[in-house]
Amino acid sequence: MKVVYTDVLVIGGGLAGLRVGIGAKRRGHDVTILSLVPPKRSHSVAAQGGMQASLANVIKGQGDNEDVHFEDTVRGSDWGADQRVVRMFVNTAPKAVRELAAWGVPWSRVQKGDREVIINGQKVTITERDEAQGLVAQRDFGGTKKWRTCYVSDGTGHAMLFAISDRAIAESITVHERTEALALIHEGGRCFGAVVRNLITGELTAYVAKATAIASGGAGRLYRVTTNAVICEGIGTAIALETGVATLGNMEAIQFHPTGIFPAGILVTEGCRGDGGLLKDVDGHRFMPDYEPEKKELASRDVVSRRMEEHLRKGKGVKTRFGDHLWLDITQLGQKHIDRNLREVQEICQNFLGIDPVKDLIAVRPAAHYTMGGVRTTPTGESPTLKGLFAAGEAACWDMHGFNRLGGNSVAETVVAGMIVGEFIADFCDRAEHDVDIPTGLVRESLAREQAKLDALVNGRGTEDASALRVAMQEIMTAKVGIFRTGTELTAAVDGLQALLVRSRNIGLSSKSRGANPELITAYRVQKMLKLALCVAHGALTRTESRGAHFREDHPRRNDAEWLKRTLATWASDADTLPTLRYEPLDVTAMELPPGWRGYGAKDYVDHPATPMRAAEVEAVRTRMTGADRAEVQKALMPFADLLPERLRGGNERIDERK
Amino acid sequence: MAADGVSARTLAISILRYNPHEAGSAPHMQTFQLEEADGMTLFIALTEIREKQEPSLQFDFVCRAGICGSCAMVIDGRPGLACRTLTKSLGKDITLAPLPVFELIGDLSVNTGKWMRAMSERLETWVHLKQKEVDLERLEARMDPDLADEIYELDRCIECGCCVAGCGTARMREDFVGAVGLNKIARFRLDPRDARTDGDFYEVIGDDNGVFGCMSLLGCHDVCPKQLPLATQLAFVRRKMAAQGWR
């Protein structure tokens, strides 16, 4: 029996996992990070446009601060977010950018003086302040009142991931590349690590840890059309679900990004629209102002994607043998801007579409992009039901995104959650009562159980083809659990996925190798992915309202009276074919920003009975404290600082807010 | 049928297959036939072969968008990223082999991650901070915008390994740091946040396994999928290190 002991086991070597690991290691704990691929190849690398942090350095960001970022994020979430967590996040995001700046990220910087930009299709000259010279620059993104997205050209995720990954190497953090956690080891509501498969040799090892953190990213590959990397299959989330103890939150909340290139689904950044790019139809008409006069192309992603699909349904798309698409036009930004700030986009267009975006239009259509849901955690990042299990980043439902995430808030979440949850994991490991004293019998049983499942796949007499099941699942998800959802289609999806899940218990392999056997990998993963897909589809079927990215044509209104609550899914027994759903209400009476209109998208919604009273309370506090320091007002409405690790509780200096 | 109504080509993709972890496996070429499709990349082609013809075939794709560096392989004799190689840019007979130099995992999969981590540890490819902790509540240190762009230009390396696979010295010297390593030194030399001096850099690359091992064949520059200015950077770093050596 092979066993590795470590204080902190991190599952996932992307931005969130690495930053969690660095945090715990700096506090003196031994850290082991598991990664399917070399960490610098993680999907974090694909984040292009940038990360939101209210630094307010550029002139179009003047007046930005934590309060504005908070409101944008809560509106973006369609009031599904935990507002305390959003506060923790917006207070830490500027610190994260500044930490990364010190660690070597070559953030694009402000050049003082005049510069020409494109706003709402028009050339405008803006003047950057002298005192902003050389500070980190911000660009515009969707759903934000200020220019807040800090960036490194359009390779932000790459630059961040390389800096953090190299930081982890500098701090001698152990990374076991090409390993995959197959199951969590747990007993009596306490998590003790994971059973891990070496993807080169096929060997299983038990990793025993005081604290286990899931930071394995999203599950975009549940869908056929997705921007996500091929490793984004949600396996980390699925093994939490398979404990039967840990809960998953809001799995039905899947974001579709407006600009996946057509038909491959590869992402081109929201920065294209933030920098002035326009969406056009088959007639060359800019259609977004017709639907969204306030924010146009820069409404939140759920709204823009929906409007695009709506326009396609009117027959305004460009017809091709692969289906219909729309155009993204960045030609007006000019060669110089594209060469400097959108070069990855340019490379992608050249390599995959054979076009030059300086002069040609880019074929786009919305594609599955982001998993708002994930392993449900408390504000400390710990599972409320499985002690010793933590989660951070896209794999977590921490829950700062609710039912729709703003562009630029995901890479920001990875490092911010990493900073915060890393500290809480260190606190957890500091306490003597969290020493691990599990019997070796539990470790042996866990290993044996996983080995038996693999043996059954390799030696069994199953007849189902794992790849075919996967393709069938992806087809169902893309066709029936997409941007527009209906009860009829979702019922068909749930039925279809259940049938696939049953069939997946009878997979047979043609390749009997126990080592690096790609067919075996597909087989055990598709069994797990189908459970996640069912959490998404069943959660979507049950939620009879529309909120953020979850849109029900048969229930088009947001219904706070009945649905201002978070979906919690568990998988009670291996024999089940459906998750067990429960709901956790969001407390309107504690909200700093009571529910209302988002400022874009649909204007009709059903209020929660407590909303008018809370809105009046908030208004009264604001009136009573007129002229008071904004931090004091905020504290009176919804205190949150105690939730943060002590070292992250301070404020953030800005040009206009000197300390 | 292709979009223009002409019959689609049938591709013959020959792959160098070998699984060193499996007893009895011997290196051999295996050829797969498949129908070319519109916009087909080697990612799409290889995925289709694995799904429909040979489930044991090993290769590495992650982002499939040319940004993560996982899928470098030797394509018709030249190192490149398979995910963004369109089959229509190749003849109908295509030959694929794993990158040389790196440890072979199996078939087209090689362990670039292990090589790159060792290189990073040896060259200490991180900013050596001038002070231990920065005050995160204060304004960030300023940097000239053009300098930030120049650093990013070199920071764009994706550690795919093409430069090492295309390098003459790397074939002869097992411990040669490759253009990937030398480019990183060039990147950290530029960075005012890094406390190291040329004297420090000389300690790690001032020998034949570092910048003086380079024979200026510049295969690295030709095959770099990110078009990094490797020729210029190698020459520049060599000059700086030579100046250091004369001291």
Side-chain angles (χ1 to χ4, degrees):
Chain A
M1 179 164 92
K2 240 183 124 173
V3 186
V4 170
Y5 291 91
T6 181
D7 293 331
V8 182
L9 178 67
V10 181
I11 299 170
L15 280 171
L18 290 165
R19 187 61 189 81
V20 162
I22 292 169
K25 174 90 182 191
R26 287 187 157 196
R27 292 270 304 273
H29 300 288
D30 180 40
V31 174
T32 303
I33 296 178
L34 306 177
S35 186
L36 293 174
V37 296
K40 285 173 182 162
R41 318 238 187 266
S42 305
H43 189 53
S44 306
V45 85
Q48 297 170 352
M51 89 169 246
Q52 286 202 42
S54 58
L55 297 184
N57 292 329
V58 296
I59 197 71
K60 285 286 189 181
Q62 196 172 21
D64 197 12
N65 57 40
E66 296 85 355
D67 298 348
V68 190
H69 191 184
F70 168 80
E71 293 211 355
D72 284 347
T73 303
V74 173
R75 289 176 196 280
S77 81
D78 220 353
W79 278 274
D82 180 334
Q83 297 194 6
R84 298 168 308 158
V85 172
V86 177
R87 270 290 170 190
M88 294 165 70
F89 163 74
V90 296
N91 198 63
T92 310
K95 297 176 180 69
V97 171
R98 287 168 175 164
E99 178 176 84
L100 290 167
W103 289 359
V105 171
W107 296 111
S108 296
R109 302 286 175 145
V110 182
Q111 176 71 55
K112 67 182 179 189
D114 288 354
R115 66 184 176 121
E116 203 169 70
V117 296
I118 309 272
I119 298 174
N120 191 21
Q122 305 297 316
K123 277 193 180 149
V124 183
T125 301
I126 58 177
T127 310
E128 297 297 352
R129 294 169 287 181
D130 288 357
E131 56 270 37
Q133 171 69 22
L135 295 175
V136 173
Q138 291 79 41
R139 61 164 37 134
D140 199 8
F141 249 47
T144 66
K145 287 206 172 64
K146 301 284 179 183
W147 290 20
R148 187 185 298 127
T149 303
C150 306
Y151 60 99
V152 182
S153 181
D154 62 346
T156 314
H158 166 90
M160 290 170 68
L161 184 62
F162 272 55
I164 289 214
S165 189
D166 283 335
R167 193 71 239 148
I169 298 173
E171 311 217 354
S172 304
I173 291 176
T174 307
V175 180
H176 290 176
E177 295 177 4
R178 295 179 186 265
T179 56
E180 175 167 21
L182 296 185
L184 294 174
I185 302 170
H186 67 104
E187 193 176 62
R190 171 79 163 95
C191 180
F192 296 109
V195 175
V196 177
R197 183 168 184 269
N198 180 318
L199 294 174
I200 297 177
T201 64
E203 187 180 30
L204 296 189
T205 302
Y207 284 64
V208 174
K210 290 184 192 173
T212 304
I214 293 180
S216 51
R221 286 279 156 178
L222 298 178
Y223 287 80
R224 178 174 61 79
V225 182
T226 175
T227 62
N228 284 196
V230 300
I231 55 170
C232 300
E233 298 179 307
I235 303 304
T237 313
I239 63 172
L241 179 70
E242 286 184 328
T243 61
V245 183
T247 50
L248 305 188
N250 288 345
M251 287 304 289
E252 66 269 33
I254 299 280
Q255 177 173 82
F256 295 81
H257 195 291
T259 57
I261 64 168
F262 185 82
I266 294 169
L267 176 73
V268 290
T269 173
E270 184 157 316
C272 291
R273 283 171 289 134
D275 290 3
L278 305 174
L279 292 168
K280 294 183 173 173
D281 64 16
V282 66
D283 305 320
H285 171 64
R286 180 188 176 197
F287 58 90
M288 277 307 294
D290 306 345
Y291 297 102
E292 294 293 328
E294 289 90 1
K295 293 292 284 181
K296 306 177 183 74
E297 281 84 356
L298 289 172
S300 61
R301 287 178 179 171
D302 57 326
V303 170
V304 177
S305 288
R306 228 157 21 236
R307 296 306 196 184
M308 289 170 73
E309 290 293 324
E310 195 177 336
H311 205 59
L312 286 165
R313 283 178 170 192
K314 292 180 184 166
K316 291 295 184 182
V318 180
K319 300 201 178 340
T320 78
R321 57 196 284 258
F322 300 109
D324 298 357
H325 68 78
L326 294 159
W327 297 115
L328 171 64
D329 180 2
I330 62 169
T331 56
Q332 63 280 11
L333 305 189
Q335 175 108 40
K336 197 173 149 211
H337 181 88
I338 292 171
D339 283 351
R340 185 165 178 154
N341 289 317
L342 296 170
R343 53 194 301 177
E344 298 296 331
V345 167
Q346 190 172 30
E347 265 191 25
I348 285 167
C349 288
Q350 283 163 349
N351 289 316
F352 296 94
L353 296 172
I355 61 145
D356 179 2
V358 172
K359 50 184 180 24
D360 303 318
L361 304 184
I362 307 168
V364 293
R365 185 162 184 174
H369 181 62
Y370 190 81
T371 313
M372 269 78 72
V375 180
R376 178 69 186 130
T377 73
T378 62
T380 60
E382 192 177 5
S383 163
T385 47
L386 186 53
K387 199 178 173 65
L389 180 69
F390 292 78
E394 190 174 351
C397 179
W398 190 26
D399 182 6
M400 58 162 281
H401 304 303
F403 277 74
N404 176 66
R405 168 178 76 75
L406 292 186
N409 264 355
S410 66
V411 266
E413 182 192 16
T414 62
V415 284
V416 166
M419 290 169 83
I420 294 171
V421 176
E423 292 295 325
F424 286 125
I425 288 178
D427 290 348
F428 180 91
C429 292
D430 280 345
R431 291 197 285 278
E433 77 256 32
H434 293 142
D435 283 348
V436 169
D437 55 352
I438 57 167
T440 51
L442 172 63
V443 178
R444 191 184 62 243
E445 281 163 26
S446 302
L447 274 169
R449 193 180 311 122
E450 293 311 308
Q451 190 61 58
K453 286 187 203 164
L454 298 177
D455 290 347
L457 283 168
V458 174
N459 302 331
R461 295 164 197 271
T463 51
E464 295 288 350
D465 173 357
S467 280
L469 293 177
R470 212 181 110 95
V471 170
M473 169 193 72
Q474 292 172 327
E475 286 296 340
I476 289 176
M477 293 300 284
T478 288
K480 299 187 192 305
V481 198
I483 294 175
F484 288 104
R485 300 170 174 180
T486 65
T488 317
E489 292 216 303
L490 289 169
T491 303
V494 170
D495 291 348
L497 292 167
Q498 280 181 292
L500 292 177
L501 180 64
V502 171
R503 285 170 61 192
S504 77
R505 293 167 181 163
N506 185 37
I507 289 175
L509 305 186
S510 61
S511 161
K512 302 292 184 192
S513 162
R514 283 162 197 284
N517 179 344
E519 192 185 15
L520 174 60
I521 293 174
T522 305
Y524 64 68
R525 285 188 190 166
V526 77
Q527 293 176 331
K528 297 181 194 299
M529 291 169 81
L530 277 162
K531 291 180 184 166
L532 284 189
L534 276 156
C535 289
V536 177
H538 188 48
L541 174 61
T542 312
R543 183 175 283 273
T544 49
E545 65 149 359
S546 292
R547 184 179 298 274
H550 168 71
F551 189 83
R552 286 284 299 261
E553 287 187 272
D554 44 354
H555 300 277
R557 289 200 297 179
R558 188 180 90 207
N559 185 344
D560 291 345
E562 290 177 58
W563 286 104
L564 194 57
K565 51 193 182 184
R566 191 172 289 120
T567 311
L568 295 179
T570 47
W571 203 277
S573 147
D574 251 2
D576 287 357
T577 58
L578 274 183
T580 306
L581 301 184
R582 289 186 295 118
Y583 292 90
E584 173 181 43
L586 274 67
D587 183 4
V588 176
T589 65
M591 285 183 184
E592 180 180 340
L593 184 65
W597 182 51
R598 301 167 83 188
Y600 44 79
K603 287 184 182 166
D604 58 332
Y605 49 85
V606 181
D607 256 336
H608 189 278
T611 298
M613 194 189 74
R614 178 59 183 166
E617 270 174 25
V618 169
E619 199 45 48
V621 171
R622 290 195 185 280
T623 309
R624 176 163 54 79
M625 296 184 73
T626 306
D629 177 62
R630 65 180 179 85
E632 289 303 314
V633 179
Q634 195 286 320
K635 194 172 168 188
L637 291 171
M638 189 187 69
F640 74 95
D642 291 353
L643 295 171
L644 280 169
E646 216 170 307
R647 62 179 286 264
L648 298 174
R649 288 179 190 170
N652 298 295
E653 188 178 36
R654 295 178 181 80
I655 295 174
D656 296 324
E657 284 184 298
R658 291 290 186 158
K659 295 184 74 170
Chain B
M1 296 287 273
D4 55 6
V6 181
S7 295
R9 297 192 298 176
T10 299
L11 303 175
I13 303 186
S14 301
I15 299 174
L16 176 53
R17 301 207 60 193
Y18 175 48
N19 183 350
H21 300 276
E22 192 131 307
S25 173
H28 64 283
M29 298 301 293
Q30 186 176 357
T31 303
F32 301 93
Q33 313 270 342
L34 86 161
E35 193 94 327
E36 188 172 30
D38 231 25
M40 183 179 257
T41 59
L42 286 178
F43 161 66
I44 295 169
L46 287 168
T47 303
E48 192 181 312
I49 290 172
R50 182 149 90 187
E51 278 178 5
K52 297 190 178 149
Q53 300 187 40
E54 181 47 75
S56 71
L57 183 63
Q58 293 185 60
F59 47 74
D60 294 317
F61 289 100
V62 179
C63 75
R64 59 80 169 91
I67 46 186
C68 79
S70 297
C71 65
M73 59 182 71
V74 180
I75 304 160
D76 284 344
R78 186 183 169 96
L81 297 181
C83 74
R84 67 178 209 190
T85 301
L86 294 163
T87 52
K88 73 174 182 198
S89 70
L90 305 169
K92 75 170 185 53
D93 297 314
I94 299 168
T95 306
L96 302 177
L99 286 190
V101 182
F102 301 97
E103 177 184 290
L104 180 70
I105 292 173
D107 300 332
L108 299 171
S109 172
V110 294
N111 207 334
T112 48
K114 185 178 171 185
W115 194 100
M116 294 295 166
R117 168 115 187 185
M119 178 275 294
S120 281
E121 287 174 352
R122 188 168 134 210
L123 302 186
E124 303 190 357
T125 61
W126 54 84
V127 166
H128 287 50
L129 305 173
K130 288 177 174 163
Q131 76 256 44
K132 197 150 169 49
E133 288 285 337
V134 284
D135 183 347
L136 300 180
E137 295 175 15
R138 300 275 170 190
L139 288 188
E140 62 277 14
R142 291 167 201 270
M143 181 182 277
D144 177 67
D146 292 331
L147 176 60
D149 284 358
E150 281 172 47
I151 294 171
Y152 176 60
E153 180 67 26
L154 305 186
D155 203 56
R156 292 179 73 238
C157 168
I158 56 173
E159 298 189 3
C160 61
C162 284
C163 61
V164 176
C167 173
T169 304
R171 300 293 183 95
M172 297 185 296
R173 292 184 180 278
E174 204 181 331
D175 292 326
F176 184 58
V177 298
V180 53
L182 297 172
N183 175 67
K184 282 183 191 285
I185 295 298
R187 179 241 177 274
F188 288 105
R189 266 195 89 258
L190 268 184
D191 199 322
R193 294 166 291 201
D194 196 314
R196 285 176 290 182
T197 62
D198 273 349
D200 299 321
F201 292 126
Y202 187 82
E203 289 301 315
V204 290
I205 57 161
D207 63 11
D208 286 352
N209 283 324
V211 75
F212 301 123
C214 170
M215 302 182 290
S216 302
L217 300 176
L218 298 177
C220 55
H221 185 97
D222 294 341
V223 299
C224 175
K226 286 289 164 188
Q227 277 105 41
L228 295 177
L230 297 175
T232 325
Q233 293 305 318
L234 290 176
F236 185 69
V237 170
R238 185 184 357 241
R239 203 174 79 208
K240 291 294 176 190
M241 290 300 109
Q244 200 53 227
W246 288 329
R247 284 188 161 193

